[in-house]
Amino acid sequence: MKEHALKRFFGPSSVALVGATEDLDRFAGRVLLRMTQFGYQGRIFPVNPRFESVRALACYPSVRNLPEAPDHVGIVVPAAAVMDILEDCALRGARFATVYTGGFAETGTPQGRAMQAQITEFARRTGVRVMGPNCNGMVSFVDGFAMTTSATIAGPRKAPGNIGVVSQSGGAGQTNVMWRAQELGLGISYQVSCGNSADLNILDFMQFMIDDDATDVVMVLAEHIPDGARLLEVAHRAAEREKPIVMVKLGRTTAGAHAAASHTGAMAGADAVCDAILRQCGVIRVDDCNELAEVAMLLRTKRWPRGTRAGATTISGGNGVLLVDLGASIGISFPEYSDKTKECLADLLPKLATTGNPTDVTNAAIGKPDIFRRCIETIAGDDNIDAAIPIFTMSQASDVRQAVDAAKAVAKPVVVLWIGACNDDPAFTQKTLIEAGVPVYRNTLACLKAVRAAMRYGEFLMNRRDPPARPDGIDTDRARALVDSAHGALTERVSKQLIAAYGMRCTREALARDADEAVRIAREIGGPVAVKIESADIPHKTESGAIRLGVASDTAVRKAFDDVLQAARTYQPEAALDGVLVQAMAPAGTEIMLGAVVDPVYGPVVAAGLGGVYVEVLRDLAYRAAPVDAEQARAMLRELRGYELLEGVRGGAPRDIDALCDQIVRLSWLAHDLRGEIAELDINPLVLLERGAGTCAVDALVVKRVAGEA
């Protein structure tokens, strides 16, 4: 089997440390101490021209003087000297380097950014892969190799486990995530803190851990996502191998909303987009570092619930009620058992026990051989149940061990909620069970959140499909020509011609350059019309007052033509006015907002929501990375708080949801195909008609991408 490209990064045969010293007040001194105490068995080459030996190891004046090409080189020298050391690494044939030194892009100075850019260029030019700068290194419990200063690995080396840890931060990744997980009783395979990521970044390390047989779950603490498209690729590989990625993505409150012409443009870089796309690709997003470990604890068992139904046993009725109440708040139900299950439970349990869900086995069951195990196995065997949650308070070791036996015997997840302690063996704790591979929780909500995360992941795996198919009736060449012929924002009329090239139905309309032409167009359309200014410089016609609705007679059309022009000139005297758009009034229906944007991280993203107050005030929008298929479009709509309005409420007719899904799919392909030409696009409103009657785009705005824009 071919060795993974990063395997020698984590498990080098030999390693050099530039700046090595015995002085523990210095960073390099602590790195060398941790490496040797961790028990690394490979060859260590200290490099420092000031010493002949360090910690009884021969010390070399430079990397060029080393007796062999090291697999991995740690660099702890002043920032100005880093590039010279890296060039030496390339000349000596080193494969990897970790630059611990700070003073690069994190300083925010032009000089710091320029120095970091040199590291990036070096890695691309030489093929030497570089972690850092400004990082705190890595730990491989699998290979017995650590190159870090972190005191989290002090003392006897912990046994490797099947959970990987990836972060940009050193302190948070190694303490908040790795050390706290180990404190719970979880085993870690690898941990990296990649700092500024001039070359290797979190996605490279996530990919390694997904491909590595020693790792089953990857915990990620991400300050930023370096490449959204690559994240989707990594997540796809993780799903293929059924290796969950659990992530804390920082920056929820600082996500940017830049000044944009469209509603959709304002969402670029928004945290809601990140949230939706992580969900779309199966990355499980959690809120804090404790939750990372709590969710990973269950997912490492690789038993995925097939639904959101749980069954529970308890000797405390109050804890059972709390479980049900909190479960309902996050989407977990506790359904009635099948008749067969009830009969089996009735035969097993004391007379005072109940056979409901949760099942109160009462204190009479305590200490009875096998009763807890058989109850759990019975509940887990019920087709109405997707996960079993036995609850213990102050319990005997023998009772809790029955839950462990059941967890190992059944195919469905068994998740132990042990709120108290062992009352007959103080050495038997929650950590004892966790180290044995059983998920155990001290708090009800933490337990339920982990179960719900596993349920979502199971649902994601069951619903994975092939990549979306391109719909018929798309004219990409015409769409691209329309964009190429425009400058800046496209007018409403040209924007609608663009979406029509992708098979989207729009209102009937034409451009009038004088009042007589406006009257003629209105007559051809028939019935009341809308009269709007056409100007790429005035994207929001309502704000300018340059729009009139329900215009019926010839006289009214003439007056509306003059009024609209005057309003536009008053609103923005310098605007270039192309004429006046005369448009058929939209049919009655439900207003929808559809949008697309090229997100700075994730690329083309499609958005859908109800129009009017729902988008203006409530921000009731759903997002996906483009393109999507009809089922993904339908899932977007179901996420909306106002979705029930589309199904028909209080006597209202159901809307044509199938047609709306088709329009979302077409828009997503437009966003995907023209991602290099379009920055943002709004269709607002798109009128959704009754079931079978389709949709009609009333207004649209497309903003062209600026040349050279990221």
Side-chain angles (χ1 to χ4, degrees), residues 473-484:
I474 287 178
D475 189 345
T476 304
D477 291 340
R478 171 163 170 72
R480 187 164 280 121
L482 287 166
V483 176
D484 290 345

Side-chain angles (χ1 to χ4, degrees), residues 261-265 593-596 680-684 699-702:
S262 73
H263 292 112
T264 310
M593 195 288 287
L594 299 184
E680 55 196 69
L681 185 158
D682 260 10
I683 304 171
N684 187 25
D699 198 354
L701 171 63
V702 175

Side-chain angles (χ1 to χ4, degrees), residues 217 242 244-246 282-286 291 294-309 330 332 386-389 412-415 439 441 446-462:
V217 182
E242 295 194 8
I245 300 168
V246 191
V283 174
I284 301 163
R285 188 177 189 183
V286 298
E291 199 175 351
E294 289 158 355
V295 170
M297 185 197 309
L298 174 52
L299 294 175
R300 68 175 177 155
T301 66
K302 300 184 79 70
R303 297 183 184 184
W304 322 126
R306 300 186 63 82
T308 58
R309 306 163 302 176
I330 60 173
I332 299 176
D386 302 303
I389 307 175
K412 294 177 185 176
V414 174
V415 185
Y441 299 87
C447 173
L448 288 165
K449 282 185 173 182
V451 172
R452 188 68 181 94
M455 289 171 170
R456 288 195 183 97
Y457 191 70
E459 180 184 23
F460 166 76
L461 292 178
M462 286 190 293

Side-chain angles (χ1 to χ4, degrees), residues 48 104 133 148 173 212 308 316 349 365 396 399 483 512 560 563 573 616 651 667 672 682 700 705 708:
N48 193 324
F104 292 85
T148 180
D212 181 73
T308 58
S316 164
L349 295 171
Q396 297 180 182
D399 290 345
V483 176
D563 289 349
E616 296 282 356
L667 178 61
H672 172 269
D682 260 10
R705 196 168 187 180

Side-chain angles (χ1 to χ4, degrees), residues 527-531 547-553 556-557 560 583-586:
V529 294
V531 180
I547 181 172
R548 299 292 184 272
L549 302 176
V551 183
S553 68
V557 170
Q583 178 185 99
M585 288 295 293

